[in-house]
Amino acid sequence: MIDRIGQTLTMNHRCYQDYAILYRTSAQSRMFEERLIKAGIPYRIHNGLRFFERAEVRDALGYLRLIANCNDDLAFERIVNVPTRGIGERTIELLRKHAQTLSDRYGSNTGLIAKKGLTKKVNESLTAFVD
């Protein structure tokens, strides 16, 4: 389908906005989006989120980013409490401050940081997350 859009555009002097792709469920959007991106065709999704903007996809990518690079603080913050572990903004702020005193990343130092000034429950949650 995507190939036909590209061919028709050049043969009939059409514009991208002359085309629409309809699908029944949002799960089907990923296949179309990947092909459109690969073909360099701009697109817009109406009444929904793009596949890579969905929270569950961003969370999964956050886990993969943190596995690949334990110093990725943005990925750490995104997923440290997904699923809910009782690690709140106050704990994240304590981790940030402690990392600043060490001039280091807090995502990779949670084992060391967890022992400083956190409740037993939060310590256990962080340890379980790191494990």
Side-chain angles (χ1 to χ4, degrees), residues 25-38:
T25 65
S26 60
Q28 294 171 308
S29 73
R30 179 175 163 245
M31 176 186 62
F32 291 117
E33 288 186 67
E34 286 177 345
R35 295 288 308 272
L36 290 165
I37 290 168
K38 186 177 178 183

Side-chain angles (χ1 to χ4, degrees), residues 107-118:
S108 61
N109 290 312
T110 53
L112 169 70
I113 296 166
K115 295 175 176 43
K116 306 229 179 210
L118 302 176

